[in-house]
Amino acid sequence: MSYVKSGEFVDRAPDVVTLDNVSKVYDSAPGTVHALRNVYLGVTVGSFLAVMGKEKSGKTTLLKCLSGETRPSSGSLRRPAGAQGGVTVTWPTAEEGASSLEAALARRPELLLADDASEECGAALRRAVDERGVAVVMATTAPAAAAQADAVVFLDDGAVVDMIADAGPQAIRECLERAGGLGAGR
């Protein structure tokens, strides 16, 4: 069990959202699925965090917990006093392109979430962090997209298994392989 605080890799700033020992369990016909296992994660103002792992590693569930769309089975999600829960925005579909990011940023979100982000999306989100100071958490399977982030957290079977900061695509690829790979080998 480890605590990951995105602000460790950028200037100190207050948390936008914190997951404290969060687990998410789904009961399904073939058995119980542990989508998240004891995740500690702090996302600070103006930070950019990428989340990577193979398919079904918990990336999307993590984003849904951060957005408030999914309630954890255990643990807690905390926002600082005065934070507006309604300002969390999810990256729209890739077909909508960069204009959808501008529309999302026009709402002045504290936290921008992106699922299944491409390299182009990663670059646009990097600009949003640098120019607007928004916090970003992006799930991706693309090492080049993840290299845009301040830090990368690796999930396997719902648990944080590794992390790296200020890394290029090759170092991220190596961590990803150690953390359980992508399955598709992208």
Side-chain angles (χ1 to χ4, degrees), residues 118-180:
S118 65
E119 183 176 354
E120 179 183 336
C121 176
L125 291 167
R126 175 81 260 167
R127 287 190 300 277
V129 171
D130 293 343
E131 296 170 7
R132 309 257 184 128
V134 65
V136 171
V137 180
M138 168 186 75
T140 185
T141 56
Q148 297 290 326
D150 301 315
V152 183
V153 171
F154 299 90
L155 295 178
D156 187 31
D157 198 26
V160 175
V161 295
D162 202 355
M163 62 182 290
I164 190 170
D166 299 320
Q170 184 58 37
I172 291 169
R173 229 177 259 105
E174 291 167 6
C175 284
L176 190 57
E177 288 172 13
R178 287 192 304 273

Side-chain angles (χ1 to χ4, degrees), residues 7 30-31 44-45 95 175:
T44 60
V45 172
E95 295 83 40
C175 284

Side-chain angles (χ1 to χ4, degrees), residues 21-165:
N21 198 27
V22 166
S23 292
K24 179 62 181 173
V25 178
Y26 295 101
D27 291 318
S28 63
T32 302
V33 175
H34 294 270
L36 294 177
R37 297 174 188 261
N38 307 100
V39 175
Y40 292 85
L41 179 73
V43 181
T44 60
V45 172
S47 65
F48 187 0
L49 181 66
V51 180
M52 297 190 79
K54 62 187 175 195
E55 187 175 331
K56 306 285 186 194
S57 63
K59 299 181 302 291
T60 299
T61 301
L62 177 68
L63 292 180
K64 287 182 177 183
C65 283
L66 288 170
S67 74
E69 180 182 334
T70 297
R71 292 178 51 102
S73 301
S74 63
S76 63
L77 177 138
R78 295 189 315 269
R79 293 183 191 278
Q84 301 172 4
V87 296
T88 300
V89 181
T90 302
W91 178 269
T93 62
E95 295 83 40
E96 295 173 354
S99 64
S100 61
L101 176 59
E102 286 304 316
L105 288 170
R107 294 191 223 141
R108 305 178 69 94
E110 293 174 323
L111 175 64
L112 191 60
L113 304 174
D115 198 6
D116 200 22
S118 65
E119 183 176 354
E120 179 183 336
C121 176
L125 291 167
R126 175 81 260 167
R127 287 190 300 277
V129 171
D130 293 343
E131 296 170 7
R132 309 257 184 128
V134 65
V136 171
V137 180
M138 168 186 75
T140 185
T141 56
Q148 297 290 326
D150 301 315
V152 183
V153 171
F154 299 90
L155 295 178
D156 187 31
D157 198 26
V160 175
V161 295
D162 202 355
M163 62 182 290
I164 190 170

